[in-house]
Amino acid sequence: MVHKMIESSTVFEIEDQYGSGAYAKRPTAIVRGEGVYVWDMNGTRYLDATSGQGVAALGHCHPAVSHAISEQAQTLVTLHESFYNDRRAELLALLDSITPGDLSHFFLCNSGAEAIEGALKVAKLLTGRSGIVAAKRAFHGRTTGALSMTWTPKYRKPFQDWLPSVQHVAFNNIAAAREAIAEGTAAVMVESVQGEGGVHPAEIEYLQALRQHCDKTGAMLIIDEIQTGFGRTGKWFGFEHAGIVPDIVALAKAIGGGLPMGAVCWRAAHGQIARATHGSTFGGNPLACAAAIATITTIRDESLVERAEANGSWLLDELAALNLRGVRAIRGRGLMVGLELRGRVTPALKAMQECGVLALPAGLNTLRLLPPLIISRAELTKVISAIDEVLS
Ligand SMILES: *Cc1c(COP(=O)(O)O)cnc(C)c1O
């Protein structure tokens, strides 16, 4: 194999020398993936309970997605939205079929942060207002608009003087949200489960009360489903647990089966946005659309949303039954699970990797599991054993 020609230490050196420096990297060069597994350059196999940061809902190189990408790659890769396209039309109709209520307008883009930027612009265009209310501990991305909604001061502080002012209120606290929402509020934005902030699910009553208060005040309710969308929490979208329909939804991560893609979605009742108020060169390109169609139809046809619900609650029960000494609290919804540790998460992640399982942090103390939705109980058992070994 080609990978034998170059040592992983050489890969580390080159990336460290020429990379941006923005990332804390694990000293592992991953070169191949199949299903729930990835392999490093030495041929060591790991169970990927990160899904590549929540992206690979179908695992790595799912045949349906790989096939759709290679076929579309030989048909048409790029096409600006100033022309129509069969794949794009197919994807828009498919997205409409899986989103509840009249969530029927979609702006296609290329990442999560871009979906958040688009959601903010749509909220402003639909309301003519500019105030934004977001939640403490929120993570919405790192471009200037998205960063202003993100809570973690470490991410925001160096850029503070560039950012639009946003009011951050306590999460899961309806009184605090009501107090902050005023006449000039364009939108309230929350995640249906805060991911990066430590895996904190929004309480059902909280989402319902936010919906009611937004109806009363005319503010748009924006739900960030970038990490929670496409079955992760045991529903197609996390807000569905509360039986509400938001005004605007931000989508990304799992939508494109691994290709960069995002989308802003909003209710037909609000109408479309005016010509030329938004745009994107790569947005809605046929290659990403083909990958997204394959991803979404596979999730639907293989009942992976229901499977995430069943396996997620089983996983939570199994983890709770371990009575782990190193764990302060276990939280989650579907296959999005956080274990709040008594100590720092980094050594636990390292020890998990030594047991052959890749997991994610969520803040300094929470270990986050986002396994592919296709994961089997036998494979989940390997994750549980690694956790037991590391944290008991
Ligand atoms: C990952 C993430 C984002 C940002 O997405 P990028 O594609 O990295 O820009 C925004 N919101 C949530 C909830 C996320 O998990």
Side-chain angles (χ1 to χ4, degrees), residues 96 99-105 245-247 265-271:
D96 178 55
T99 47
D102 66 337
L103 285 165
S104 301
H105 291 307
V245 179
D247 297 291
C265 167
W266 66 96
R267 298 179 59 173
H270 297 312

Side-chain angles (χ1 to χ4, degrees), residues 111-113 116 139-141 191 224 226-227 252-253:
S111 72
I116 295 294
F139 182 83
H140 297 296
E191 296 151 88
D224 179 344
I226 291 168
Q227 192 167 137
K253 289 205 163 92

Side-chain angles (χ1 to χ4, degrees), residues 60-289:
H60 296 277
C61 298
H62 190 285
V65 178
S66 296
H67 179 75
I69 291 173
S70 52
E71 201 163 75
Q72 191 62 39
Q74 295 168 60
T75 307
L76 185 67
V77 170
T78 187
L79 183 75
H80 189 256
E81 277 224 32
S82 47
F83 292 91
Y84 291 89
N85 175 259
D86 54 347
R87 287 283 92 84
R88 191 190 302 129
E90 195 182 336
L91 174 61
L92 292 172
L94 186 59
L95 285 170
D96 178 55
S97 76
I98 61 164
T99 47
D102 66 337
L103 285 165
S104 301
H105 291 307
F106 302 90
F107 179 89
L108 301 174
C109 55
N110 314 286
S111 72
E114 240 188 283
I116 295 294
E117 299 286 339
L120 293 175
K121 283 181 71 176
V122 170
K124 165 111 197 179
L125 289 169
L126 297 180
T127 60
R129 306 173 182 181
S130 58
I132 303 284
V133 176
K136 292 184 177 171
R137 280 192 324 236
F139 182 83
H140 297 296
R142 301 169 185 269
T143 53
T144 24
L147 187 58
S148 60
M149 320 276 306
T150 290
W151 165 248
T152 316
K154 175 181 77 177
Y155 298 152
R156 252 187 310 128
K157 223 163 165 212
F159 309 99
Q160 195 69 58
D161 55 343
W162 285 0
L163 302 177
S165 71
V166 171
Q167 207 175 336
H168 284 94
V169 298
F171 187 63
N172 274 336
N173 181 333
I174 189 62
R178 280 202 193 106
E179 199 169 314
I181 297 168
E183 242 173 44
T185 304
V188 182
M189 181 184 285
V190 292
E191 296 151 88
S192 62
V193 180
Q194 289 190 324
E196 185 89 6
V199 190
H200 295 274
E203 286 162 17
I204 301 306
E205 304 74 30
Y206 177 64
L207 291 177
Q208 291 168 344
L210 278 183
R211 176 67 279 173
Q212 276 177 6
H213 200 67
C214 286
D215 283 339
K216 210 168 111 187
T217 55
M220 297 279 125
L221 177 59
I222 306 177
I223 307 284
D224 179 344
E225 291 282 344
I226 291 168
Q227 192 167 137
T228 44
F230 300 96
R232 172 61 56 194
T233 69
K235 300 271 186 203
W236 274 102
F237 303 99
F239 62 77
E240 291 182 89
H241 290 280
I244 59 157
V245 179
D247 297 291
I248 304 173
V249 182
L251 302 170
K253 289 205 163 92
I255 187 175
L259 289 200
M261 185 177 230
V264 191
C265 167
W266 66 96
R267 298 179 59 173
H270 297 312
Q272 291 174 310
I273 53 174
R275 294 259 187 277
T277 49
H278 202 32
S280 162
T281 299
F282 291 126
N285 71 80
L287 186 68
C289 289

